[in-house]
Amino acid sequence: MLFAPTDIDITITPQAVLAAISKQEYGLALNMALHLGERNVLKKAVDAIDLLNIDLVVLSVDIRMLKEMLSFIAEELTSSPHIEYYLQWSYSILQNYHTLIFKESIVYLETLRNLLRVITQHEKDFMNNCDKNQYVISFIEKQIKLNGNGMVEELIENYDVDGESVDM
C-alpha cells in the first residue's frame, strides 16, 4: 500500500476512519483509509460498504489513489471468499474510470494484469466446478433411469463433498 503523507493531516487516523464508518460516511472513510496506506484499515472501510452502495462510493474515490484501490481489490479477490462483492468493486471502478485508466494505461498496466489474472483464475475454478456438477447430474440421471426414483437419496448420500463416489 502507498502511504500518501502529503495528502493527510493530523486528523486522518485509523480511529477517524472507524468514526466515519460508524457515521456511514463511507466515501470519506475510504479516502482516508487509502491515504493512510494501512491495509487492515482499508479492508475495514471497504468491507463496511454495502453492495448496493459501491457504485456511489466509487465515484468519491480520489483519482490519485485509484491504482492503490484497484491493487487492493485484486489482492482481496485472491484471498477473500466474497468474490461477487469484490468483482462488483472492480466492475464499478472500471465502469466509472475507464477513460482515465485508458489514458494512463502504462501506470495501470501491472495492476490491471493482476486483476485480470485473478479474475481469470476464478473463472477457471467456476468452470471446473460447473463441469464436475454436470457430470454428477448426468450420472444421477442415468442411475435414476436404471434403478428407479427410489435410489436418488441413496446416490446423493454416497457422494462426498468433492463429487467423487464413495464405495456402495
Side-chain angles (χ1 to χ4, degrees):
M1 298 286 333
L2 175 72
F3 175 62
T6 58
D7 297 327
I8 63 171
D9 60 26
I10 198 163
T11 61
I12 298 178
T13 63
Q15 294 79 14
V17 172
L18 295 175
I21 291 169
S22 68
K23 294 176 188 172
Q24 296 183 346
E25 296 174 344
Y26 300 120
L28 176 63
L30 181 62
N31 280 305
M32 286 193 296
L34 281 165
H35 286 285
L36 280 174
E38 294 183 23
R39 189 180 191 292
N40 60 338
V41 176
L42 181 56
K43 182 164 176 41
K44 287 180 184 176
V46 170
D47 288 349
I49 299 164
D50 186 55
L51 184 68
L52 299 174
N53 295 329
I54 290 173
D55 288 332
L56 184 61
V57 174
V58 161
L59 293 173
S60 71
V61 171
D62 183 347
I63 59 171
R64 296 171 294 173
M65 304 304 288
L66 197 58
K67 180 181 175 197
E68 285 71 25
M69 186 66 194
L70 274 172
S71 294
F72 172 79
I73 298 300
E75 289 173 22
E76 284 300 304
L77 269 169
T78 58
S79 59
S80 176
H82 307 289
I83 297 168
E84 179 185 4
Y85 183 73
Y86 289 108
L87 283 174
Q88 182 61 44
W89 274 98
S90 303
Y91 177 77
S92 185
I93 291 170
L94 294 172
Q95 186 73 21
N96 288 297
Y97 295 104
H98 63 276
T99 39
L100 172 73
I101 293 170
F102 183 73
K103 276 199 294 190
E104 299 178 20
S105 59
I106 299 298
V107 174
Y108 291 94
L109 190 60
E110 180 183 352
T111 304
L112 291 172
R113 281 185 181 154
N114 288 338
L115 189 62
L116 180 63
R117 178 187 49 79
V118 171
I119 292 171
T120 302
Q121 184 58 49
H122 280 301
E123 178 190 25
K124 288 178 184 175
D125 293 344
F126 283 133
M127 293 306 291
N128 188 23
N129 285 334
C130 288
D131 289 343
K132 284 182 181 178
N133 287 344
Q134 182 180 0
Y135 296 131
V136 169
I137 290 171
S138 175
F139 173 77
I140 291 173
E141 286 175 342
K142 288 177 184 174
Q143 291 301 312
I144 290 172
K145 287 178 184 174
L146 291 173
N147 301 321
N149 290 339
M151 296 289 292
V152 174
E153 284 112 18
E154 185 179 335
L155 286 171
I156 292 172
E157 288 174 7
N158 289 327
Y159 268 81
D160 66 11
V161 176
D162 294 326
E164 296 178 10
S165 63
V166 179
D167 295 331
M168 290 189 196

Short mmCIF file of all heavy atoms in Angstrom, two decimals, residues 90-141:
data_model
loop_
_atom_site.label_atom_id
_atom_site.label_comp_id
_atom_site.label_asym_id
_atom_site.label_seq_id
_atom_site.Cartn_x
_atom_site.Cartn_y
_atom_site.Cartn_z
N SER A 90 -14.59 -4.05 -8.70
CA SER A 90 -13.78 -3.98 -9.94
C SER A 90 -14.60 -3.41 -11.08
O SER A 90 -14.15 -2.51 -11.79
CB SER A 90 -13.28 -5.37 -10.35
OG SER A 90 -12.54 -5.95 -9.34
N TYR A 91 -15.79 -3.95 -11.25
CA TYR A 91 -16.66 -3.51 -12.34
C TYR A 91 -16.98 -2.02 -12.21
O TYR A 91 -16.92 -1.27 -13.18
CB TYR A 91 -17.95 -4.34 -12.35
CG TYR A 91 -18.93 -3.89 -13.41
CD1 TYR A 91 -18.73 -4.23 -14.75
CD2 TYR A 91 -20.02 -3.11 -13.07
CE1 TYR A 91 -19.62 -3.81 -15.72
CE2 TYR A 91 -20.91 -2.69 -14.04
CZ TYR A 91 -20.70 -3.04 -15.37
OH TYR A 91 -21.58 -2.61 -16.33
N SER A 92 -17.33 -1.61 -11.02
CA SER A 92 -17.72 -0.22 -10.81
C SER A 92 -16.55 0.73 -11.05
O SER A 92 -16.73 1.79 -11.67
CB SER A 92 -18.25 -0.06 -9.38
OG SER A 92 -18.74 1.24 -9.20
N ILE A 93 -15.37 0.37 -10.59
CA ILE A 93 -14.19 1.22 -10.82
C ILE A 93 -13.90 1.31 -12.31
O ILE A 93 -13.68 2.40 -12.85
CB ILE A 93 -12.97 0.68 -10.05
CG1 ILE A 93 -13.18 0.87 -8.54
CG2 ILE A 93 -11.69 1.36 -10.51
CD1 ILE A 93 -12.16 0.16 -7.68
N LEU A 94 -13.90 0.17 -12.98
CA LEU A 94 -13.60 0.18 -14.41
C LEU A 94 -14.69 0.89 -15.21
O LEU A 94 -14.40 1.59 -16.19
CB LEU A 94 -13.41 -1.25 -14.92
CG LEU A 94 -12.19 -1.98 -14.35
CD1 LEU A 94 -12.19 -3.44 -14.77
CD2 LEU A 94 -10.90 -1.30 -14.75
N GLN A 95 -15.92 0.75 -14.81
CA GLN A 95 -17.03 1.40 -15.49
C GLN A 95 -16.96 2.92 -15.35
O GLN A 95 -17.19 3.65 -16.31
CB GLN A 95 -18.36 0.89 -14.93
CG GLN A 95 -19.58 1.38 -15.64
CD GLN A 95 -19.76 0.72 -17.00
OE1 GLN A 95 -19.23 -0.33 -17.27
NE2 GLN A 95 -20.52 1.36 -17.85
N ASN A 96 -16.61 3.39 -14.16
CA ASN A 96 -16.62 4.82 -13.91
C ASN A 96 -15.33 5.53 -14.30
O ASN A 96 -15.35 6.74 -14.55
CB ASN A 96 -16.91 5.09 -12.43
CG ASN A 96 -18.35 4.81 -12.10
OD1 ASN A 96 -19.24 5.45 -12.61
ND2 ASN A 96 -18.57 3.81 -11.26
N TYR A 97 -14.21 4.81 -14.33
CA TYR A 97 -12.93 5.45 -14.58
C TYR A 97 -12.20 4.90 -15.81
O TYR A 97 -11.00 5.06 -15.94
CB TYR A 97 -12.02 5.32 -13.35
CG TYR A 97 -12.56 6.06 -12.15
CD1 TYR A 97 -13.17 5.37 -11.11
CD2 TYR A 97 -12.46 7.44 -12.07
CE1 TYR A 97 -13.66 6.04 -10.01
CE2 TYR A 97 -12.95 8.12 -10.97
CZ TYR A 97 -13.54 7.42 -9.94
OH TYR A 97 -14.04 8.09 -8.85
N HIS A 98 -12.93 4.25 -16.72
CA HIS A 98 -12.28 3.61 -17.86
C HIS A 98 -11.52 4.60 -18.73
O HIS A 98 -10.45 4.27 -19.24
CB HIS A 98 -13.29 2.80 -18.68
CG HIS A 98 -14.36 3.63 -19.30
ND1 HIS A 98 -15.49 3.99 -18.61
CD2 HIS A 98 -14.48 4.16 -20.54
CE1 HIS A 98 -16.26 4.71 -19.39
NE2 HIS A 98 -15.67 4.84 -20.57
N THR A 99 -12.02 5.81 -18.92
CA THR A 99 -11.30 6.77 -19.77
C THR A 99 -9.99 7.19 -19.12
O THR A 99 -8.96 7.27 -19.81
CB THR A 99 -12.16 8.01 -20.08
OG1 THR A 99 -12.89 8.38 -18.92
CG2 THR A 99 -13.09 7.78 -21.22
N LEU A 100 -10.00 7.44 -17.84
CA LEU A 100 -8.77 7.80 -17.13
C LEU A 100 -7.77 6.65 -17.18
O LEU A 100 -6.59 6.87 -17.46
CB LEU A 100 -9.08 8.17 -15.68
CG LEU A 100 -7.86 8.37 -14.78
CD1 LEU A 100 -7.17 9.68 -15.14
CD2 LEU A 100 -8.26 8.34 -13.33
N ILE A 101 -8.24 5.45 -16.93
CA ILE A 101 -7.36 4.28 -16.94
C ILE A 101 -6.79 4.06 -18.33
O ILE A 101 -5.61 3.74 -18.49
CB ILE A 101 -8.11 3.03 -16.42
CG1 ILE A 101 -8.44 3.22 -14.93
CG2 ILE A 101 -7.30 1.77 -16.65
CD1 ILE A 101 -9.38 2.17 -14.36
N PHE A 102 -7.61 4.26 -19.36
CA PHE A 102 -7.14 4.10 -20.73
C PHE A 102 -6.09 5.15 -21.08
O PHE A 102 -5.08 4.85 -21.70
CB PHE A 102 -8.32 4.18 -21.71
CG PHE A 102 -7.93 3.96 -23.13
CD1 PHE A 102 -7.60 2.70 -23.59
CD2 PHE A 102 -7.88 5.03 -24.02
CE1 PHE A 102 -7.23 2.49 -24.91
CE2 PHE A 102 -7.52 4.84 -25.34
CZ PHE A 102 -7.19 3.57 -25.79
N LYS A 103 -6.33 6.40 -20.67
CA LYS A 103 -5.38 7.48 -20.97
C LYS A 103 -4.03 7.25 -20.28
O LYS A 103 -3.00 7.56 -20.84
CB LYS A 103 -5.94 8.84 -20.52
CG LYS A 103 -6.86 9.47 -21.54
CD LYS A 103 -7.04 10.95 -21.35
CE LYS A 103 -7.74 11.33 -20.08
NZ LYS A 103 -8.11 12.75 -20.02
N GLU A 104 -4.07 6.70 -19.09
CA GLU A 104 -2.85 6.46 -18.32
C GLU A 104 -2.59 4.97 -18.20
O GLU A 104 -2.22 4.47 -17.14
CB GLU A 104 -2.97 7.12 -16.95
CG GLU A 104 -3.15 8.61 -17.03
CD GLU A 104 -3.31 9.26 -15.66
OE1 GLU A 104 -2.91 8.63 -14.65
OE2 GLU A 104 -3.83 10.37 -15.61
N SER A 105 -2.75 4.25 -19.29
CA SER A 105 -2.69 2.79 -19.27
C SER A 105 -1.35 2.25 -18.78
O SER A 105 -1.31 1.20 -18.14
CB SER A 105 -3.02 2.22 -20.65
OG SER A 105 -2.12 2.72 -21.61
N ILE A 106 -0.27 2.93 -19.05
CA ILE A 106 1.05 2.46 -18.59
C ILE A 106 1.10 2.43 -17.07
O ILE A 106 1.63 1.48 -16.49
CB ILE A 106 2.17 3.37 -19.15
CG1 ILE A 106 2.19 3.35 -20.67
CG2 ILE A 106 3.52 2.98 -18.58
CD1 ILE A 106 2.46 1.99 -21.27
N VAL A 107 0.52 3.41 -16.43
CA VAL A 107 0.51 3.48 -14.97
C VAL A 107 -0.28 2.33 -14.38
O VAL A 107 0.09 1.75 -13.35
CB VAL A 107 -0.06 4.84 -14.50
CG1 VAL A 107 -0.23 4.88 -12.99
CG2 VAL A 107 0.79 5.99 -15.00
N TYR A 108 -1.38 1.97 -15.03
CA TYR A 108 -2.28 0.95 -14.51
C TYR A 108 -2.01 -0.45 -15.03
O TYR A 108 -2.68 -1.40 -14.61
CB TYR A 108 -3.73 1.33 -14.84
CG TYR A 108 -4.22 2.54 -14.08
CD1 TYR A 108 -4.13 3.81 -14.64
CD2 TYR A 108 -4.76 2.40 -12.82
CE1 TYR A 108 -4.59 4.93 -13.94
CE2 TYR A 108 -5.22 3.50 -12.12
CZ TYR A 108 -5.11 4.75 -12.68
OH TYR A 108 -5.56 5.84 -11.98
N LEU A 109 -1.05 -0.60 -15.92
CA LEU A 109 -0.84 -1.87 -16.61
C LEU A 109 -0.63 -3.05 -15.66
O LEU A 109 -1.31 -4.08 -15.77
CB LEU A 109 0.32 -1.75 -17.60
CG LEU A 109 0.51 -2.92 -18.56
CD1 LEU A 109 -0.73 -3.10 -19.42
CD2 LEU A 109 1.73 -2.66 -19.43
N GLU A 110 0.29 -2.93 -14.74
CA GLU A 110 0.59 -4.04 -13.83
C GLU A 110 -0.63 -4.39 -12.95
O GLU A 110 -0.96 -5.56 -12.77
CB GLU A 110 1.77 -3.69 -12.94
CG GLU A 110 2.14 -4.79 -11.97
CD GLU A 110 3.28 -4.40 -11.03
OE1 GLU A 110 3.89 -3.33 -11.21
OE2 GLU A 110 3.54 -5.17 -10.10
N THR A 111 -1.29 -3.37 -12.46
CA THR A 111 -2.47 -3.58 -11.62
C THR A 111 -3.58 -4.27 -12.40
O THR A 111 -4.22 -5.20 -11.90
CB THR A 111 -2.96 -2.23 -11.07
OG1 THR A 111 -1.89 -1.60 -10.37
CG2 THR A 111 -4.12 -2.41 -10.14
N LEU A 112 -3.80 -3.83 -13.63
CA LEU A 112 -4.84 -4.45 -14.45
C LEU A 112 -4.49 -5.89 -14.81
O LEU A 112 -5.37 -6.75 -14.86
CB LEU A 112 -5.08 -3.63 -15.71
CG LEU A 112 -5.74 -2.27 -15.50
CD1 LEU A 112 -5.75 -1.46 -16.78
CD2 LEU A 112 -7.14 -2.43 -14.94
N ARG A 113 -3.21 -6.16 -15.04
CA ARG A 113 -2.80 -7.55 -15.30
C ARG A 113 -3.06 -8.43 -14.09
O ARG A 113 -3.53 -9.57 -14.23
CB ARG A 113 -1.32 -7.60 -15.68
CG ARG A 113 -1.06 -7.22 -17.09
CD ARG A 113 0.40 -7.40 -17.44
NE ARG A 113 0.64 -7.00 -18.81
CZ ARG A 113 1.79 -6.58 -19.27
NH1 ARG A 113 2.84 -6.51 -18.47
NH2 ARG A 113 1.92 -6.24 -20.53
N ASN A 114 -2.74 -7.94 -12.90
CA ASN A 114 -3.02 -8.71 -11.69
C ASN A 114 -4.51 -8.96 -11.52
O ASN A 114 -4.92 -10.08 -11.19
CB ASN A 114 -2.48 -7.98 -10.46
CG ASN A 114 -0.98 -8.01 -10.37
OD1 ASN A 114 -0.32 -8.87 -10.95
ND2 ASN A 114 -0.42 -7.07 -9.65
N LEU A 115 -5.30 -7.94 -11.77
CA LEU A 115 -6.75 -8.09 -11.67
C LEU A 115 -7.26 -9.11 -12.67
O LEU A 115 -8.05 -9.99 -12.33
CB LEU A 115 -7.42 -6.72 -11.88
CG LEU A 115 -8.90 -6.63 -11.62
CD1 LEU A 115 -9.23 -6.94 -10.17
CD2 LEU A 115 -9.40 -5.24 -11.98
N LEU A 116 -6.79 -9.03 -13.89
CA LEU A 116 -7.20 -9.97 -14.93
C LEU A 116 -6.78 -11.40 -14.59
O LEU A 116 -7.55 -12.34 -14.77
CB LEU A 116 -6.60 -9.55 -16.28
CG LEU A 116 -6.95 -10.45 -17.47
CD1 LEU A 116 -8.45 -10.44 -17.73
CD2 LEU A 116 -6.19 -10.00 -18.70
N ARG A 117 -5.57 -11.56 -14.06
CA ARG A 117 -5.08 -12.89 -13.68
C ARG A 117 -5.97 -13.51 -12.61
O ARG A 117 -6.38 -14.67 -12.71
CB ARG A 117 -3.64 -12.78 -13.18
CG ARG A 117 -3.04 -14.10 -12.71
CD ARG A 117 -1.66 -13.91 -12.07
NE ARG A 117 -1.59 -12.87 -11.07
CZ ARG A 117 -2.02 -13.00 -9.80
NH1 ARG A 117 -2.55 -14.14 -9.39
NH2 ARG A 117 -1.91 -12.00 -8.96
N VAL A 118 -6.33 -12.73 -11.61
CA VAL A 118 -7.16 -13.23 -10.52
C VAL A 118 -8.56 -13.59 -11.02
O VAL A 118 -9.11 -14.65 -10.70
CB VAL A 118 -7.24 -12.19 -9.38
CG1 VAL A 118 -8.26 -12.59 -8.34
CG2 VAL A 118 -5.89 -11.99 -8.75
N ILE A 119 -9.14 -12.71 -11.83
CA ILE A 119 -10.49 -12.97 -12.35
C ILE A 119 -10.49 -14.19 -13.25
O ILE A 119 -11.40 -15.02 -13.20
CB ILE A 119 -11.04 -11.71 -13.06
CG1 ILE A 119 -11.29 -10.60 -12.03
CG2 ILE A 119 -12.31 -12.04 -13.83
CD1 ILE A 119 -11.64 -9.26 -12.64
N THR A 120 -9.46 -14.33 -14.07
CA THR A 120 -9.35 -15.49 -14.95
C THR A 120 -9.24 -16.78 -14.15
O THR A 120 -9.84 -17.80 -14.51
CB THR A 120 -8.14 -15.34 -15.90
OG1 THR A 120 -8.31 -14.13 -16.64
CG2 THR A 120 -8.03 -16.51 -16.85
N GLN A 121 -8.48 -16.75 -13.06
CA GLN A 121 -8.35 -17.94 -12.22
C GLN A 121 -9.69 -18.32 -11.60
O GLN A 121 -10.06 -19.49 -11.56
CB GLN A 121 -7.30 -17.73 -11.12
CG GLN A 121 -7.06 -18.96 -10.27
CD GLN A 121 -6.61 -20.16 -11.09
OE1 GLN A 121 -5.71 -20.06 -11.90
NE2 GLN A 121 -7.26 -21.30 -10.88
N HIS A 122 -10.44 -17.32 -11.14
CA HIS A 122 -11.78 -17.61 -10.59
C HIS A 122 -12.70 -18.18 -11.67
O HIS A 122 -13.48 -19.09 -11.39
CB HIS A 122 -12.39 -16.35 -9.98
CG HIS A 122 -11.89 -16.04 -8.61
ND1 HIS A 122 -11.99 -16.91 -7.56
CD2 HIS A 122 -11.25 -14.94 -8.13
CE1 HIS A 122 -11.45 -16.38 -6.49
NE2 HIS A 122 -11.00 -15.18 -6.80
N GLU A 123 -12.59 -17.65 -12.88
CA GLU A 123 -13.41 -18.18 -13.98
C GLU A 123 -13.08 -19.65 -14.22
O GLU A 123 -13.99 -20.48 -14.38
CB GLU A 123 -13.17 -17.37 -15.25
CG GLU A 123 -13.97 -17.91 -16.42
CD GLU A 123 -13.58 -17.28 -17.75
OE1 GLU A 123 -12.45 -16.79 -17.88
OE2 GLU A 123 -14.41 -17.31 -18.65
N LYS A 124 -11.80 -19.99 -14.24
CA LYS A 124 -11.39 -21.39 -14.44
C LYS A 124 -11.93 -22.28 -13.33
O LYS A 124 -12.40 -23.39 -13.59
CB LYS A 124 -9.87 -21.50 -14.52
CG LYS A 124 -9.29 -20.95 -15.79
CD LYS A 124 -7.77 -21.05 -15.77
CE LYS A 124 -7.17 -20.40 -17.00
NZ LYS A 124 -5.69 -20.38 -16.93
N ASP A 125 -11.84 -21.80 -12.09
CA ASP A 125 -12.35 -22.57 -10.95
C ASP A 125 -13.87 -22.79 -11.07
O ASP A 125 -14.36 -23.90 -10.83
CB ASP A 125 -12.04 -21.86 -9.63
CG ASP A 125 -10.55 -21.82 -9.32
OD1 ASP A 125 -9.78 -22.58 -9.95
OD2 ASP A 125 -10.15 -21.01 -8.45
N PHE A 126 -14.59 -21.74 -11.44
CA PHE A 126 -16.04 -21.87 -11.60
C PHE A 126 -16.38 -22.86 -12.72
O PHE A 126 -17.28 -23.69 -12.58
CB PHE A 126 -16.69 -20.53 -11.91
CG PHE A 126 -16.85 -19.65 -10.70
CD1 PHE A 126 -16.47 -18.32 -10.75
CD2 PHE A 126 -17.40 -20.13 -9.53
CE1 PHE A 126 -16.61 -17.50 -9.65
CE2 PHE A 126 -17.53 -19.32 -8.42
CZ PHE A 126 -17.15 -17.99 -8.48
N MET A 127 -15.68 -22.75 -13.82
CA MET A 127 -15.95 -23.65 -14.95
C MET A 127 -15.64 -25.10 -14.56
O MET A 127 -16.38 -26.01 -14.94
CB MET A 127 -15.14 -23.24 -16.17
CG MET A 127 -15.55 -21.89 -16.75
SD MET A 127 -17.30 -21.76 -17.13
CE MET A 127 -17.43 -22.89 -18.48
N ASN A 128 -14.58 -25.31 -13.82
CA ASN A 128 -14.23 -26.65 -13.35
C ASN A 128 -15.34 -27.20 -12.46
O ASN A 128 -15.75 -28.36 -12.61
CB ASN A 128 -12.88 -26.61 -12.62
CG ASN A 128 -12.37 -27.98 -12.30
OD1 ASN A 128 -12.73 -28.96 -12.92
ND2 ASN A 128 -11.50 -28.06 -11.30
N ASN A 129 -15.85 -26.37 -11.54
CA ASN A 129 -16.94 -26.81 -10.67
C ASN A 129 -18.21 -27.08 -11.46
O ASN A 129 -18.94 -28.03 -11.17
CB ASN A 129 -17.21 -25.77 -9.58
CG ASN A 129 -16.15 -25.80 -8.50
OD1 ASN A 129 -15.51 -26.81 -8.26
ND2 ASN A 129 -15.95 -24.67 -7.85
N CYS A 130 -18.48 -26.27 -12.45
CA CYS A 130 -19.66 -26.50 -13.30
C CYS A 130 -19.54 -27.82 -14.05
O CYS A 130 -20.52 -28.57 -14.16
CB CYS A 130 -19.84 -25.35 -14.29
SG CYS A 130 -20.39 -23.82 -13.53
N ASP A 131 -18.36 -28.10 -14.58
CA ASP A 131 -18.15 -29.36 -15.28
C ASP A 131 -18.35 -30.55 -14.34
O ASP A 131 -19.00 -31.53 -14.71
CB ASP A 131 -16.75 -29.41 -15.89
CG ASP A 131 -16.59 -28.49 -17.08
OD1 ASP A 131 -17.62 -28.05 -17.64
OD2 ASP A 131 -15.43 -28.20 -17.44
N LYS A 132 -17.80 -30.46 -13.12
CA LYS A 132 -17.99 -31.54 -12.15
C LYS A 132 -19.47 -31.74 -11.84
O LYS A 132 -19.95 -32.87 -11.79
CB LYS A 132 -17.23 -31.23 -10.85
CG LYS A 132 -15.76 -31.44 -10.93
CD LYS A 132 -15.11 -31.14 -9.59
CE LYS A 132 -13.62 -31.31 -9.63
NZ LYS A 132 -12.99 -30.98 -8.34
N ASN A 133 -20.17 -30.65 -11.63
CA ASN A 133 -21.60 -30.73 -11.34
C ASN A 133 -22.37 -31.35 -12.50
O ASN A 133 -23.28 -32.14 -12.30
CB ASN A 133 -22.17 -29.35 -11.01
CG ASN A 133 -21.74 -28.85 -9.66
OD1 ASN A 133 -21.26 -29.61 -8.82
ND2 ASN A 133 -21.89 -27.55 -9.45
N GLN A 134 -21.99 -30.99 -13.70
CA GLN A 134 -22.66 -31.52 -14.88
C GLN A 134 -22.47 -33.04 -14.94
O GLN A 134 -23.43 -33.77 -15.23
CB GLN A 134 -22.08 -30.86 -16.13
CG GLN A 134 -22.73 -31.31 -17.41
CD GLN A 134 -22.12 -30.61 -18.63
OE1 GLN A 134 -21.22 -29.79 -18.51
NE2 GLN A 134 -22.63 -30.95 -19.78
N TYR A 135 -21.27 -33.53 -14.66
CA TYR A 135 -21.02 -34.96 -14.69
C TYR A 135 -21.77 -35.69 -13.59
O TYR A 135 -22.30 -36.78 -13.80
CB TYR A 135 -19.52 -35.25 -14.61
CG TYR A 135 -18.75 -34.72 -15.79
CD1 TYR A 135 -17.60 -33.97 -15.61
CD2 TYR A 135 -19.19 -34.92 -17.10
CE1 TYR A 135 -16.90 -33.46 -16.69
CE2 TYR A 135 -18.50 -34.43 -18.18
CZ TYR A 135 -17.35 -33.70 -17.98
OH TYR A 135 -16.66 -33.19 -19.04
N VAL A 136 -21.84 -35.09 -12.40
CA VAL A 136 -22.56 -35.71 -11.30
C VAL A 136 -24.06 -35.78 -11.62
O VAL A 136 -24.70 -36.81 -11.41
CB VAL A 136 -22.31 -34.95 -9.97
CG1 VAL A 136 -23.26 -35.42 -8.89
CG2 VAL A 136 -20.87 -35.12 -9.52
N ILE A 137 -24.61 -34.70 -12.15
CA ILE A 137 -26.03 -34.69 -12.51
C ILE A 137 -26.32 -35.72 -13.60
O ILE A 137 -27.31 -36.45 -13.52
CB ILE A 137 -26.46 -33.27 -12.96
CG1 ILE A 137 -26.47 -32.34 -11.75
CG2 ILE A 137 -27.83 -33.30 -13.64
CD1 ILE A 137 -26.66 -30.88 -12.10
N SER A 138 -25.44 -35.80 -14.57
CA SER A 138 -25.61 -36.78 -15.64
C SER A 138 -25.58 -38.20 -15.07
O SER A 138 -26.40 -39.04 -15.44
CB SER A 138 -24.52 -36.60 -16.68
OG SER A 138 -24.58 -37.59 -17.65
N PHE A 139 -24.67 -38.46 -14.16
CA PHE A 139 -24.56 -39.77 -13.53
C PHE A 139 -25.84 -40.10 -12.76
O PHE A 139 -26.40 -41.21 -12.89
CB PHE A 139 -23.35 -39.83 -12.60
CG PHE A 139 -23.27 -41.09 -11.80
CD1 PHE A 139 -22.84 -42.27 -12.38
CD2 PHE A 139 -23.64 -41.10 -10.46
CE1 PHE A 139 -22.77 -43.45 -11.65
CE2 PHE A 139 -23.58 -42.26 -9.72
CZ PHE A 139 -23.14 -43.43 -10.31
N ILE A 140 -26.33 -39.15 -11.98
CA ILE A 140 -27.53 -39.38 -11.19
C ILE A 140 -28.74 -39.62 -12.10
O ILE A 140 -29.56 -40.51 -11.84
CB ILE A 140 -27.79 -38.20 -10.22
CG1 ILE A 140 -26.71 -38.20 -9.13
CG2 ILE A 140 -29.18 -38.28 -9.60
CD1 ILE A 140 -26.75 -37.00 -8.21
N GLU A 141 -28.84 -38.85 -13.18
CA GLU A 141 -29.95 -39.06 -14.12
C GLU A 141 -29.91 -40.47 -14.72
O GLU A 141 -30.95 -41.13 -14.84
CB GLU A 141 -29.89 -38.02 -15.24
CG GLU A 141 -30.33 -36.64 -14.81
CD GLU A 141 -30.15 -35.60 -15.91
OE1 GLU A 141 -29.38 -35.84 -16.88
OE2 GLU A 141 -30.76 -34.53 -15.80
#
